[in-house]
Coordinates of all heavy atoms in Angstrom, one line a residue:
M7 N -8.8 15.9 -12.3 CA -7.4 15.7 -12.3 C -7.0 15.0 -11.0 O -7.3 15.4 -9.9 CB -6.6 17.1 -12.3 CG -5.2 16.9 -12.4 SD -4.4 18.5 -12.9 CE -3.3 18.7 -11.7
S8 N -6.2 14.0 -11.1 CA -5.8 13.2 -9.9 C -4.5 13.6 -9.4 O -3.6 14.1 -10.3 CB -5.8 11.7 -10.2 OG -4.8 11.4 -11.1
S9 N -4.2 13.3 -8.2 CA -2.8 13.7 -7.7 C -2.4 12.5 -6.9 O -3.2 11.6 -6.6 CB -2.9 14.9 -6.8 OG -3.7 14.7 -5.7
T10 N -1.1 12.5 -6.5 CA -0.6 11.3 -5.9 C 0.0 11.7 -4.4 O 0.7 12.7 -4.4 CB 0.5 10.7 -6.7 OG1 0.0 10.3 -7.9 CG2 1.2 9.4 -5.9
L11 N -0.3 11.1 -3.5 CA 0.3 11.3 -2.1 C 1.6 10.7 -2.0 O 1.8 9.5 -2.3 CB -0.7 10.8 -1.0 CG -0.3 11.0 0.4 CD1 -0.1 12.5 0.8 CD2 -1.1 10.3 1.4
T12 N 2.6 11.4 -1.7 CA 4.0 11.0 -1.6 C 4.5 11.1 -0.3 O 3.8 11.5 0.7 CB 4.9 11.9 -2.6 OG1 4.9 13.3 -2.0 CG2 4.4 12.0 -4.0
R13 N 5.7 10.5 -0.1 CA 6.3 10.5 1.3 C 6.5 12.0 1.7 O 6.3 12.3 2.9 CB 7.7 9.9 1.2 CG 7.7 8.4 1.1 CD 9.1 7.8 1.1 NE 9.1 6.5 0.9 CZ 10.0 5.6 1.1 NH1 11.0 6.1 1.7 NH2 9.8 4.3 0.9
S14 N 6.9 12.8 0.9 CA 7.1 14.3 1.2 C 5.7 14.9 1.5 O 5.6 15.7 2.4 CB 7.8 15.1 0.2 OG 7.0 15.1 -1.0
G15 N 4.6 14.5 0.8 CA 3.2 15.0 1.2 C 2.8 14.4 2.6 O 2.2 15.2 3.3
L16 N 3.1 13.2 2.9 CA 2.8 12.7 4.2 C 3.6 13.5 5.4 O 3.1 13.9 6.4 CB 3.1 11.2 4.3 CG 2.2 10.3 3.6 CD1 2.7 8.9 3.6 CD2 0.8 10.3 4.2
T17 N 4.9 13.7 5.0 CA 5.8 14.4 6.0 C 5.2 15.8 6.2 O 5.0 16.3 7.3 CB 7.2 14.6 5.3 OG1 7.7 13.3 5.2 CG2 8.0 15.4 6.2
E18 N 4.8 16.5 5.2 CA 4.3 17.8 5.3 C 3.0 17.9 6.0 O 2.7 18.8 6.8 CB 4.0 18.5 3.8 CG 3.8 19.9 3.8 CD 5.0 20.7 4.4 OE1 6.1 20.3 4.3 OE2 4.6 21.9 4.7
A19 N 2.1 16.9 5.8 CA 0.8 16.7 6.5 C 1.1 16.5 8.0 O 0.4 17.2 8.9 CB -0.1 15.6 6.0
L20 N 2.0 15.6 8.4 CA 2.3 15.4 9.8 C 2.9 16.9 10.4 O 2.5 17.2 11.5 CB 3.4 14.5 9.9 CG 3.0 13.0 9.9 CD1 4.1 12.0 10.2 CD2 2.0 12.8 11.2
Y21 N 3.8 17.5 9.6 CA 4.3 18.8 10.0 C 3.2 19.7 10.4 O 3.3 20.4 11.5 CB 5.3 19.3 9.0 CG 5.7 20.7 9.2 CD1 6.7 21.1 10.2 CD2 5.2 21.7 8.4 CE1 7.0 22.4 10.4 CE2 5.6 23.0 8.5 CZ 6.5 23.4 9.5 OH 6.9 24.7 9.7
K22 N 2.3 19.8 9.5 CA 1.2 20.9 9.7 C 0.2 20.5 10.8 O -0.3 21.3 11.5 CB 0.5 21.1 8.3 CG 1.3 21.9 7.3 CD 0.6 22.1 6.1 CE 1.4 22.8 5.1 NZ 0.7 23.1 3.8
S23 N -0.2 19.2 10.8 CA -1.3 18.7 11.8 C -0.8 18.5 13.1 O -1.5 18.7 14.1 CB -2.0 17.6 11.2 OG -1.2 16.5 11.1
I24 N 0.4 18.0 13.3 CA 0.9 17.5 14.7 C 1.9 18.6 15.2 O 1.9 18.6 16.5 CB 1.4 16.1 14.6 CG1 0.4 15.1 14.2 CG2 2.1 15.7 15.9 CD1 0.9 13.7 14.1
G25 N 2.5 19.2 14.4 CA 3.5 20.2 14.8 C 5.0 19.6 15.0 O 5.8 20.3 15.5
L26 N 5.2 18.4 14.5 CA 6.5 17.9 14.6 C 7.3 18.7 13.4 O 6.9 19.2 12.6 CB 6.5 16.4 14.2 CG 5.9 15.4 15.1 CD1 6.0 14.0 14.4 CD2 6.6 15.3 16.4
S27 N 8.7 18.7 13.8 CA 9.5 19.3 12.7 C 9.5 18.5 11.4 O 9.0 17.3 11.5 CB 11.0 19.4 13.3 OG 11.5 18.1 13.2
R28 N 9.8 19.1 10.3 CA 9.9 18.4 9.1 C 10.8 17.1 9.2 O 10.5 16.0 8.7 CB 10.3 19.3 7.9 CG 9.1 20.2 7.5 CD 9.5 21.0 6.3 NE 8.4 21.7 5.8 CZ 8.0 22.8 6.1 NH1 8.9 23.5 6.9 NH2 7.0 23.5 5.5
N29 N 12.0 17.2 9.9 CA 12.8 16.1 9.9 C 12.2 15.1 10.8 O 12.3 13.8 10.5 CB 14.2 16.5 10.6 CG 15.1 17.3 9.6 OD1 14.9 17.2 8.4 ND2 16.0 18.1 10.1
E30 N 11.6 15.4 12.0 CA 10.9 14.4 12.8 C 9.8 13.7 12.1 O 9.6 12.5 12.1 CB 10.5 15.0 14.1 CG 11.4 15.5 15.0 CD 11.0 16.3 16.2 OE1 9.9 17.0 16.0 OE2 11.5 16.3 17.3
S31 N 9.1 14.5 11.3 CA 7.9 14.0 10.5 C 8.5 13.0 9.5 O 7.9 11.9 9.3 CB 7.1 15.1 9.8 OG 6.6 16.0 10.7
S32 N 9.5 13.3 8.8 CA 10.1 12.4 7.8 C 10.6 11.1 8.5 O 10.4 10.1 7.9 CB 11.2 13.2 7.1 OG 11.9 12.3 6.2
E33 N 11.3 11.2 9.6 CA 11.8 10.0 10.3 C 10.6 9.2 10.7 O 10.7 7.9 10.6 CB 12.6 10.5 11.5 CG 14.0 11.0 11.1 CD 14.7 11.6 12.5 OE1 14.3 11.2 13.6 OE2 15.6 12.3 12.3
L34 N 9.5 9.7 11.2 CA 8.3 9.0 11.6 C 7.7 8.1 10.4 O 7.4 7.0 10.5 CB 7.3 9.8 12.2 CG 6.0 9.1 12.8 CD1 6.3 8.1 13.8 CD2 5.1 10.2 13.3
I35 N 7.6 8.8 9.2 CA 7.1 8.1 8.0 C 8.0 7.0 7.7 O 7.5 5.9 7.4 CB 7.0 9.2 6.8 CG1 5.9 10.3 7.3 CG2 6.6 8.5 5.6 CD1 4.5 9.8 7.4
E36 N 9.3 7.3 7.7 CA 10.3 6.2 7.3 C 10.2 5.1 8.2 O 10.3 3.8 7.8 CB 11.7 6.8 7.2 CG 12.0 7.7 6.1 CD 11.7 7.2 4.7 OE1 12.0 6.0 4.5 OE2 11.1 8.0 3.9
L37 N 10.0 5.3 9.6 CA 9.9 4.2 10.5 C 8.7 3.4 10.3 O 8.7 2.1 10.4 CB 9.9 4.8 11.9 CG 11.3 5.3 12.5 CD1 11.1 6.1 13.8 CD2 12.1 4.1 12.7
V38 N 7.5 4.0 10.0 CA 6.3 3.3 9.8 C 6.4 2.4 8.6 O 6.0 1.3 8.5 CB 5.2 4.3 9.6 CG1 3.8 3.5 9.1 CG2 4.7 4.9 10.9
L39 N 7.0 3.0 7.4 CA 7.1 2.3 6.2 C 8.1 1.1 6.3 O 8.0 0.1 5.8 CB 7.7 3.2 5.0 CG 6.6 4.2 4.6 CD1 7.3 5.1 3.6 CD2 5.3 3.6 4.1
E40 N 9.3 1.3 7.1 CA 10.2 0.3 7.4 C 9.6 -0.9 8.2 O 9.7 -2.0 7.9 CB 11.4 0.9 8.1 CG 12.5 -0.2 8.4 CD 13.2 -0.7 7.2 OE1 13.2 0.0 6.2 OE2 13.6 -1.9 7.3
E41 N 8.7 -0.6 9.2 CA 8.0 -1.6 9.9 C 7.1 -2.4 9.0 O 7.0 -3.6 9.2 CB 7.3 -1.0 11.1 CG 6.8 -1.9 12.1 CD 7.8 -2.8 12.7 OE1 9.0 -2.3 13.0 OE2 7.6 -4.0 12.9
L42 N 6.4 -1.8 8.2 CA 5.5 -2.5 7.2 C 6.4 -3.5 6.4 O 6.0 -4.7 6.2 CB 4.9 -1.5 6.2 CG 3.7 -0.7 6.8 CD1 3.3 0.4 5.8 CD2 2.5 -1.7 7.0
L43 N 7.5 -3.0 5.9 CA 8.4 -3.9 5.1 C 8.9 -5.0 5.9 O 9.0 -6.2 5.4 CB 9.5 -3.1 4.4 CG 9.2 -2.0 3.4 CD1 10.4 -1.3 2.9 CD2 8.5 -2.7 2.1
L44 N 9.4 -4.8 7.1 CA 9.9 -5.8 7.9 C 8.7 -6.9 8.2 O 9.0 -8.1 8.3 CB 10.4 -5.3 9.3 CG 11.6 -4.5 9.1 CD1 12.1 -3.8 10.5 CD2 12.8 -5.3 8.7
S45 N 7.5 -6.4 8.4 CA 6.3 -7.3 8.6 C 6.1 -8.2 7.4 O 6.0 -9.4 7.5 CB 5.1 -6.6 8.9 OG 5.2 -5.8 10.2
F46 N 6.2 -7.7 6.2 CA 6.1 -8.5 5.0 C 7.2 -9.5 4.8 O 7.1 -10.6 4.5 CB 6.1 -7.6 3.8 CG 4.9 -6.6 3.8 CD1 5.0 -5.4 3.2 CD2 3.6 -7.0 4.2 CE1 4.0 -4.5 3.1 CE2 2.6 -6.1 4.2 CZ 2.7 -4.9 3.7
E47 N 8.5 -9.1 5.3 CA 9.7 -10.0 5.2 C 9.4 -11.2 6.2 O 9.9 -12.3 6.0 CB 10.9 -9.2 5.6 CG 11.4 -8.4 4.5 CD 12.6 -7.6 4.8 OE1 13.2 -7.8 5.9 OE2 13.0 -6.7 4.0
R48 N 8.7 -10.9 7.3 CA 8.4 -12.0 8.3 C 7.1 -12.8 7.9 O 6.6 -13.5 8.7 CB 8.2 -11.4 9.6 CG 9.5 -10.7 10.3 CD 9.3 -10.3 11.7 NE 8.3 -9.4 11.9 CZ 8.5 -8.0 12.0 NH1 9.7 -7.5 11.9 NH2 7.6 -7.2 12.3
N49 N 6.5 -12.5 6.7 CA 5.3 -13.1 6.2 C 4.1 -12.8 7.1 O 3.3 -13.7 7.4 CB 5.5 -14.6 6.0 CG 6.4 -14.9 4.9 OD1 6.4 -14.3 3.9 ND2 7.3 -15.9 5.0
E50 N 4.2 -11.6 7.7 CA 3.1 -11.2 8.5 C 2.1 -10.3 7.8 O 2.5 -9.4 6.9 CB 3.6 -10.5 9.8 CG 4.4 -11.3 10.7 CD 5.0 -10.4 11.7 OE1 5.1 -9.2 11.7 OE2 5.6 -11.0 12.8
N51 N 0.7 -10.5 8.0 CA -0.2 -9.5 7.5 C -0.1 -8.3 8.4 O 0.2 -8.3 9.6 CB -1.6 -10.1 7.4 CG -1.6 -11.2 6.5 OD1 -1.1 -11.3 5.4 ND2 -2.4 -12.2 6.8
V52 N -0.6 -7.1 7.9 CA -0.6 -5.8 8.7 C -2.0 -5.4 8.6 O -2.7 -5.1 7.6 CB 0.3 -4.8 8.0 CG1 0.3 -3.5 8.7 CG2 1.8 -5.3 8.0
K53 N -2.6 -5.2 9.9 CA -3.9 -4.8 10.0 C -4.0 -3.4 10.6 O -3.4 -3.2 11.8 CB -4.8 -5.6 10.8 CG -6.3 -5.2 10.9 CD -7.1 -6.2 11.6 CE -8.5 -5.7 11.6 NZ -9.4 -6.7 12.3
L54 N -4.4 -2.3 10.0 CA -4.5 -1.0 10.5 C -6.0 -0.8 10.8 O -6.9 -0.6 9.8 CB -4.0 0.0 9.6 CG -2.5 -0.2 9.2 CD1 -2.1 0.8 8.1 CD2 -1.5 -0.1 10.4
T55 N -6.4 -0.7 12.1 CA -7.9 -0.6 12.4 C -8.4 0.6 11.7 O -7.8 1.7 11.7 CB -8.0 -0.6 13.9 OG1 -7.3 -1.8 14.5 CG2 -9.4 -0.5 14.4
S56 N -9.6 0.6 11.3 CA -10.4 1.6 10.6 C -9.7 2.1 9.4 O -10.1 3.1 8.8 CB -10.6 2.8 11.6 OG -11.3 2.4 12.7
F57 N -8.8 1.4 8.8 CA -8.1 1.7 7.5 C -8.2 0.5 6.6 O -8.7 0.6 5.5 CB -6.7 2.1 7.8 CG -6.1 2.7 6.4 CD1 -6.5 3.7 5.8 CD2 -5.1 1.9 5.8 CE1 -5.9 4.1 4.6 CE2 -4.6 2.3 4.7 CZ -5.0 3.5 4.1
G58 N -7.5 -0.6 7.0 CA -7.5 -1.8 6.2 C -6.5 -2.8 6.5 O -5.7 -2.6 7.5
T59 N -6.3 -3.9 5.8 CA -5.5 -4.9 6.0 C -4.6 -5.2 4.7 O -5.1 -5.2 3.6 CB -6.2 -6.3 6.3 OG1 -7.1 -6.0 7.4 CG2 -5.2 -7.4 6.6
F60 N -3.3 -5.3 4.9 CA -2.4 -5.6 3.9 C -2.1 -7.0 4.1 O -1.6 -7.5 5.1 CB -1.0 -4.8 4.0 CG -1.2 -3.3 3.8 CD1 -1.5 -2.4 4.8 CD2 -1.1 -2.8 2.5 CE1 -1.6 -1.1 4.6 CE2 -1.3 -1.5 2.3 CZ -1.5 -0.6 3.4
K61 N -2.3 -7.9 3.0 CA -2.1 -9.3 3.2 C -1.1 -9.8 2.1 O -1.1 -9.2 1.0 CB -3.4 -10.1 3.0 CG -4.4 -10.0 4.1 CD -5.6 -10.9 4.0 CE -6.4 -10.7 5.1 NZ -7.5 -11.8 5.0
L62 N -0.3 -10.7 2.5 CA 0.7 -11.3 1.5 C 0.0 -12.5 0.8 O -0.8 -13.3 1.5 CB 1.9 -11.9 2.2 CG 2.9 -10.9 2.7 CD1 4.0 -11.5 3.5 CD2 3.5 -10.1 1.5
R63 N 0.1 -12.6 -0.5 CA -0.6 -13.7 -1.2 C 0.6 -14.3 -2.1 O 1.4 -13.6 -2.6 CB -1.7 -13.1 -2.2 CG -3.0 -12.9 -1.6 CD -4.1 -12.6 -2.5 NE -3.5 -11.9 -3.8 CZ -3.8 -12.3 -5.0 NH1 -4.6 -13.3 -5.2 NH2 -3.4 -11.6 -6.0
K64 N 0.4 -15.5 -2.3 CA 1.4 -16.3 -3.2 C 0.7 -16.5 -4.5 O -0.4 -17.0 -4.5 CB 1.8 -17.6 -2.6 CG 2.8 -18.3 -3.5 CD 3.5 -19.4 -2.8 CE 4.5 -20.2 -3.7 NZ 5.6 -19.5 -4.1
K65 N 1.4 -15.9 -5.6 CA 0.8 -16.2 -7.0 C 1.6 -17.3 -7.6 O 2.8 -17.3 -7.5 CB 1.0 -14.8 -7.8 CG 0.1 -13.8 -7.3 CD 0.1 -12.6 -8.1 CE -0.9 -12.8 -9.2 NZ -1.1 -11.6 -10.1
N66 N 0.9 -18.3 -8.1 CA 1.5 -19.4 -8.7 C 2.2 -19.0 -10.1 O 1.8 -18.0 -10.7 CB 0.5 -20.6 -8.9 CG 0.1 -21.0 -7.6 OD1 0.7 -21.1 -6.6 ND2 -1.3 -21.4 -7.6
E67 N 3.1 -19.9 -10.5 CA 3.7 -19.8 -11.8 C 2.5 -19.9 -12.9 O 1.5 -20.7 -12.7 CB 4.7 -20.9 -12.0 CG 5.5 -20.7 -13.3 CD 6.5 -21.9 -13.3 OE1 7.5 -21.7 -12.7 OE2 6.3 -22.8 -14.1
R68 N 2.6 -19.1 -14.0 CA 1.7 -19.2 -15.0 C 2.3 -18.7 -16.3 O 3.4 -18.3 -16.4 CB 0.5 -18.3 -14.7 CG 0.8 -16.8 -14.6 CD -0.4 -16.0 -14.2 NE -0.1 -14.7 -14.0 CZ -0.2 -13.7 -14.9 NH1 -0.6 -14.0 -16.1 NH2 0.1 -12.4 -14.7
I69 N 1.6 -19.0 -17.4 CA 2.0 -18.6 -18.7 C 1.4 -17.3 -19.1 O 0.1 -17.1 -18.9 CB 1.6 -19.7 -19.8 CG1 2.3 -21.0 -19.5 CG2 1.9 -19.1 -21.2 CD1 3.7 -21.0 -19.6
G70 N 2.2 -16.3 -19.5 CA 1.7 -15.0 -19.8 C 1.9 -14.7 -21.3 O 2.6 -15.5 -22.0
R71 N 1.3 -13.7 -21.9 CA 1.4 -13.4 -23.2 C 1.7 -11.9 -23.4 O 1.1 -11.0 -22.8 CB 0.2 -13.8 -24.0 CG 0.3 -13.6 -25.5 CD -1.0 -14.0 -26.3 NE -0.9 -15.4 -26.3 CZ -2.0 -16.2 -25.8 NH1 -3.0 -15.6 -25.2 NH2 -1.9 -17.5 -25.8
N72 N 2.8 -11.5 -24.2 CA 3.1 -10.2 -24.4 C 2.0 -9.7 -25.4 O 1.8 -10.2 -26.5 CB 4.4 -10.1 -25.2 CG 4.9 -8.7 -25.5 OD1 4.0 -7.9 -25.8 ND2 6.2 -8.5 -25.4
P73 N 1.3 -8.6 -24.9 CA 0.2 -8.2 -25.7 C 0.5 -7.5 -27.1 O -0.3 -7.6 -28.0 CB -0.5 -7.0 -24.9 CG 0.5 -6.7 -23.8 CD 1.4 -7.9 -23.7
K74 N 1.8 -7.1 -27.2 CA 2.1 -6.5 -28.5 C 2.5 -7.5 -29.5 O 2.2 -7.4 -30.7 CB 3.4 -5.5 -28.3 CG 3.0 -4.2 -27.6 CD 4.3 -3.3 -27.6 CE 3.9 -1.9 -27.1 NZ 5.0 -1.0 -27.1
T75 N 3.4 -8.6 -29.0 CA 3.9 -9.6 -30.0 C 3.0 -10.9 -30.0 O 3.1 -11.7 -30.9 CB 5.3 -9.8 -29.7 OG1 5.3 -10.4 -28.3 CG2 6.2 -8.6 -29.7
G76 N 2.3 -11.1 -28.9 CA 1.6 -12.3 -28.8 C 2.4 -13.5 -28.3 O 2.0 -14.6 -28.2
I77 N 3.8 -13.3 -28.1 CA 4.7 -14.4 -27.6 C 4.4 -14.8 -26.1 O 4.3 -13.9 -25.4 CB 6.1 -13.9 -27.8 CG1 6.4 -13.6 -29.3 CG2 7.1 -14.9 -27.2 CD1 7.8 -13.0 -29.5
E78 N 4.2 -16.0 -26.0 CA 4.0 -16.6 -24.7 C 5.3 -16.6 -23.8 O 6.4 -17.0 -24.4 CB 3.4 -18.0 -24.7 CG 1.9 -17.9 -25.2 CD 1.2 -19.2 -25.1 OE1 1.9 -20.2 -24.8 OE2 0.0 -19.2 -25.3
S79 N 5.2 -16.4 -22.5 CA 6.4 -16.7 -21.7 C 6.0 -17.0 -20.3 O 4.9 -16.8 -19.9 CB 7.3 -15.4 -21.7 OG 6.5 -14.3 -21.0
K80 N 6.9 -17.7 -19.6 CA 6.5 -18.2 -18.2 C 6.8 -17.0 -17.2 O 7.8 -16.3 -17.3 CB 7.5 -19.3 -17.9 CG 7.1 -20.0 -16.6 CD 7.9 -21.3 -16.3 CE 9.3 -21.0 -16.3 NZ 10.1 -22.2 -15.8
I81 N 5.7 -16.9 -16.4 CA 5.9 -15.9 -15.3 C 6.1 -16.7 -14.0 O 5.2 -17.5 -13.7 CB 4.5 -15.0 -15.2 CG1 4.4 -14.2 -16.5 CG2 4.6 -14.0 -14.0 CD1 3.0 -13.5 -16.6
S82 N 7.1 -16.5 -13.4 CA 7.5 -17.2 -12.1 C 6.6 -16.9 -11.0 O 5.9 -15.9 -10.9 CB 8.9 -17.0 -11.8 OG 9.1 -15.7 -11.5
S83 N 6.5 -17.9 -10.0 CA 5.7 -17.6 -8.9 C 6.3 -16.6 -8.0 O 7.5 -16.4 -8.1 CB 5.5 -18.9 -8.1 OG 6.9 -19.3 -7.6
R84 N 5.5 -15.8 -7.3 CA 6.0 -14.8 -6.4 C 4.9 -14.5 -5.4 O 3.8 -14.8 -5.5 CB 6.3 -13.6 -7.3 CG 5.1 -13.0 -8.1 CD 5.4 -12.1 -9.2 NE 4.3 -11.6 -9.9 CZ 3.5 -12.1 -10.7 NH1 3.6 -13.4 -11.0 NH2 2.4 -11.5 -11.2
N85 N 5.4 -13.7 -4.5 CA 4.5 -13.1 -3.4 C 4.2 -11.7 -3.7 O 5.0 -11.0 -4.2 CB 5.2 -13.2 -2.0 CG 5.4 -14.6 -1.5 OD1 4.7 -15.5 -1.7 ND2 6.5 -14.8 -0.8
V86 N 2.9 -11.5 -3.5 CA 2.4 -10.0 -3.8 C 1.7 -9.5 -2.5 O 1.2 -10.4 -1.8 CB 1.5 -10.0 -4.9 CG1 2.2 -10.3 -6.3 CG2 0.3 -10.8 -4.8
V87 N 1.6 -8.3 -2.4 CA 0.9 -7.6 -1.2 C -0.5 -7.2 -1.8 O -0.6 -6.5 -2.9 CB 1.6 -6.4 -0.7 CG1 0.8 -5.8 0.4 CG2 3.0 -6.9 -0.2
S88 N -1.6 -7.6 -1.1 CA -2.9 -7.1 -1.6 C -3.5 -6.2 -0.4 O -3.1 -6.4 0.7 CB -3.8 -8.2 -1.9 OG -4.0 -9.0 -0.8
F89 N -4.3 -5.4 -0.8 CA -4.9 -4.5 0.4 C -6.4 -4.6 0.3 O -7.0 -4.6 -0.7 CB -4.6 -3.0 0.1 CG -5.3 -2.0 1.0 CD1 -4.9 -1.9 2.3 CD2 -6.3 -1.2 0.6 CE1 -5.5 -1.1 3.2 CE2 -6.9 -0.3 1.4 CZ -6.5 -0.3 2.7
K90 N -7.0 -4.8 1.5 CA -8.5 -4.8 1.6 C -8.9 -3.7 2.6 O -8.5 -3.7 3.8 CB -8.9 -6.2 2.2 CG -10.4 -6.3 2.3 CD -10.9 -7.6 2.8 CE -12.4 -7.6 2.9 NZ -12.9 -8.8 3.6
P91 N -9.6 -2.7 2.1 CA -10.0 -1.6 2.8 C -11.0 -2.1 4.0 O -11.8 -2.9 3.7 CB -10.6 -0.6 1.9 CG -11.0 -1.4 0.7 CD -10.1 -2.6 0.7
A92 N -10.9 -1.3 5.1 CA -11.9 -1.5 6.2 C -13.2 -0.9 5.8 O -13.3 -0.1 4.8 CB -11.5 -0.8 7.4
Q93 N -14.3 -1.3 6.4 CA -15.7 -0.8 6.1 C -15.8 0.6 6.2 O -16.4 1.3 5.4 CB -16.7 -1.6 7.0 CG -18.2 -1.4 6.5 CD -18.3 -1.9 5.1 OE1 -18.0 -3.0 4.8 NE2 -19.0 -1.1 4.3
V94 N -15.0 1.2 7.2 CA -15.0 2.7 7.3 C -14.5 3.4 6.1 O -15.1 4.3 5.6 CB -14.2 3.1 8.6 CG1 -14.0 4.5 8.7 CG2 -14.7 2.5 9.8
V95 N -13.5 2.8 5.5 CA -12.9 3.4 4.2 C -13.9 3.3 3.2 O -14.1 4.2 2.3 CB -11.5 2.8 3.9 CG1 -11.0 3.3 2.7 CG2 -10.5 3.1 5.1
K96 N -14.4 2.1 3.1 CA -15.4 1.8 2.0 C -16.6 2.8 2.0 O -17.0 3.3 1.0 CB -15.9 0.3 2.0 CG -14.9 -0.7 1.7 CD -15.5 -2.1 1.8 CE -14.6 -3.2 1.6 NZ -15.2 -4.5 1.8
D97 N -17.2 2.9 3.2 CA -18.3 3.8 3.4 C -17.9 5.3 3.0 O -18.7 6.0 2.4 CB -18.7 3.8 4.8 CG -19.4 2.4 5.2 OD1 -19.8 1.6 4.3 OD2 -19.5 2.1 6.4
K98 N -16.7 5.7 3.4 CA -16.3 7.0 3.1 C -16.1 7.2 1.6 O -16.4 8.2 0.9 CB -15.0 7.3 3.7 CG -14.6 8.8 3.6 CD -13.6 9.2 4.7 CE -13.3 10.7 4.6 NZ -13.5 11.3 5.9
F99 N -15.5 6.2 1.0 CA -15.4 6.3 -0.5 C -16.7 6.4 -1.3 O -16.8 7.2 -2.1 CB -14.6 5.0 -0.9 CG -14.3 4.9 -2.5 CD1 -13.3 5.7 -3.0 CD2 -15.1 4.2 -3.3 CE1 -13.0 5.7 -4.4 CE2 -14.9 4.2 -4.6 CZ -13.8 4.9 -5.1
K100 N -17.7 5.5 -0.8 CA -19.0 5.5 -1.4 C -19.6 6.8 -1.3 O -20.2 7.5 -2.2 CB -19.9 4.5 -0.8 CG -19.6 3.1 -1.2 CD -20.6 2.1 -0.5 CE -20.2 0.7 -0.8 NZ -21.1 -0.3 0.0
K101 N -19.5 7.5 -0.1 CA -20.1 8.7 0.2 C -19.5 9.8 -0.6 O -20.2 10.7 -1.1 CB -19.9 9.1 1.7 CG -20.5 10.5 2.1 CD -20.2 10.8 3.6 CE -20.7 12.2 3.9 NZ -20.1 12.6 5.2
N102 N -18.2 9.9 -0.8 CA -17.4 10.9 -1.5 C -17.5 10.8 -3.1 O -17.4 11.7 -3.7 CB -16.0 11.0 -1.1 CG -15.9 11.5 0.5 OD1 -16.9 12.2 0.9 ND2 -14.8 11.2 1.1
Y103 N -17.6 9.5 -3.5 CA -17.5 9.3 -5.0 C -18.7 8.8 -5.7 O -18.6 8.7 -6.9 CB -16.3 8.4 -5.2 CG -14.9 9.0 -4.8 CD1 -14.4 8.7 -3.6 CD2 -14.4 10.1 -5.6 CE1 -13.2 9.3 -3.2 CE2 -13.2 10.6 -5.1 CZ -12.7 10.2 -4.0 OH -11.4 10.8 -3.6
N104 N -19.7 8.5 -5.0 CA -20.9 7.9 -5.6 C -22.1 8.8 -5.5 O -23.2 8.4 -5.7 CB -21.3 6.5 -5.0 CG -20.2 5.5 -5.3 OD1 -19.5 5.6 -6.4 ND2 -20.0 4.4 -4.6
D105 N -21.9 10.0 -5.0 CA -23.1 10.9 -5.0 C -23.4 11.6 -6.2 O -22.6 11.8 -7.1 CB -22.8 12.0 -3.9 CG -22.7 11.5 -2.4 OD1 -23.4 10.5 -2.2 OD2 -22.2 12.1 -1.6

């Protein structure tokens, strides 16, 4: 069974591990996420050492197809965020999930 880490889950983890109040933990999480968003707005990549890199990519306009109806439609160009994990994360993933 899979679970999802949420903002409240991150807040609770900070509260338990660092000892910040829940409000301070929540504010810290919000500040970090806001800084990430501001970096993307400035077209900057975000590199978190020993974790990974968030990169902005431009996807070109293309023709897509509705899988249910088969009708083609134009998908406009847009910017997307991609994530490339650091080698440390890849190694940990291999160790935990490929044994």
Side-chain angles (χ1 to χ4, degrees):
M7 182 165 131
S8 68
S9 61
T10 302
L11 181 62
T12 62
R13 287 180 186 202
S14 62
L16 287 170
T17 298
E18 193 65 24
L20 278 177
Y21 168 72
K22 287 180 179 177
S23 65
I24 296 177
L26 295 175
S27 72
R28 283 187 171 93
N29 284 340
E30 291 171 327
S31 299
S32 178
E33 288 174 13
L34 182 58
I35 295 297
E36 292 303 320
L37 285 171
V38 169
L39 295 175
E40 181 64 27
E41 191 57 39
L42 282 171
L43 291 174
L44 290 172
S45 295
F46 297 146
E47 287 176 5
R48 295 188 300 261
N49 290 321
E50 297 173 343
N51 294 328
V52 177
K53 181 176 183 177
L54 302 174
T55 305
S56 298
F57 184 70
T59 304
F60 295 90
K61 289 187 176 185
L62 286 173
R63 283 188 326 131
K64 180 163 179 69
K65 292 187 89 174
N66 294 324
E67 185 177 284
R68 64 187 176 91
I69 300 296
R71 181 174 289 121
N72 182 325
K74 284 186 177 181
T75 63
I77 298 173
E78 290 185 352
S79 62
K80 183 170 65 170
I81 300 172
S82 59
S83 64
R84 64 200 182 281
N85 290 325
V86 296
V87 177
S88 63
F89 176 72
K90 181 178 180 187
Q93 191 62 47
V94 173
V95 173
K96 289 179 185 179
D97 292 343
K98 188 162 188 128
F99 182 80
K100 284 180 188 176
K101 179 182 174 193
N102 291 336
Y103 296 102
N104 292 334
D105 288 340

